[in-house]
Amino acid sequence: MTQTLHTPPQTAAAHHRHPFTRDPGRWDKESTRALRTGHVRDSTCTAACQPVLVHERTSWGWLAWTVPADGTLPEVPHQIGVLTLSATRTQRLALRWLTRRPAQRIALDTVPGSLRFSAAAVALITMIAGLFAIRHGVPIDVALPAMLLAPLLAEHLPGRMDARAEEHVRKVEGVNACRYLQRLATLHTSLIQAAADSDRYELRRSAEVGHNLLWDAAGLLQTQDTRSASAGLITRERLMLQLAD
């Protein structure tokens, strides 16, 4: 399902049509950094490509955009993440963790795969610190395990933290799914802004309901394609349109 049921309100039409619609300078800065540090989206990309993503954080989650090689603005996010409603401070910190910049990695010539730059730095520091400690009387059976454990933690702990943080987020990928959720996010952002500019309970409650609808739609799109989930998606879009209107 890709067609819009109704025309969104004019005040909401510009939200999330492109990255950082309220701060175009931010996109210029982030895309320039991406061109220097990662693989960007171009005509040579395949399904296996992992282009660098620019994350646009919102109060309800994030939109992750690829950077087209031709310098144009992307129109559909590569990924959308929706944070659980009434998230705690810790869960919001988890959102920032998931949308951090990708780790720099060092290719290994002798074995397949790569190593995090941070893990290599920790290995060097702990080796120097461990040798210094041994020279000053620390038993080798105490220093050596610490020297080995620290870089292993630096390499594998971020993945464990990612998995824990993702328990509070529903992520959606794919052009059709992201285009649909992008429309709902556009409407929901208009509700958030209306609630922020007023102290009326009705507007705050509408924003909460909109977040719930966005969360539910992300759950449907995680497990089904837009065609098989169309009935549930249509119901949620109608409700979101009623709230926005």
Side-chain angles (χ1 to χ4, degrees), residues 85-194:
L85 188 65
S86 302
T88 64
R89 179 177 177 81
T90 300
Q91 290 167 348
R92 291 196 173 277
L93 289 175
L95 182 147
R96 297 187 67 85
W97 170 262
L98 289 173
T99 55
R100 69 194 186 280
R101 294 194 183 108
Q104 293 181 303
R105 303 193 73 88
I106 302 172
L108 302 176
D109 296 331
T110 55
V111 295
S114 60
L115 182 69
R116 290 177 185 269
F117 179 82
S118 58
V122 168
L124 178 61
I125 293 170
T126 53
M127 182 181 71
I128 295 173
L131 293 175
F132 181 82
I134 291 170
R135 287 186 60 185
H136 286 75
V138 175
I140 191 170
D141 57 347
V142 174
L144 185 59
M147 293 166 64
L148 297 175
L149 184 60
L152 288 175
L153 287 175
E155 175 65 22
H156 297 289
L157 188 59
R160 296 290 184 90
M161 294 175 68
D162 283 349
R164 186 66 180 271
E166 286 174 355
E167 295 175 0
H168 312 296
V169 174
R170 289 178 175 174
K171 294 192 297 185
V172 172
E173 294 184 352
V175 174
N176 289 337
C178 284
R179 182 181 285 117
Y180 184 87
L181 208 59
Q182 182 183 17
R183 290 208 306 270
L184 289 187
T186 293
L187 296 170
H188 179 51
T189 297
S190 70
L191 296 174
I192 293 174
Q193 291 186 349

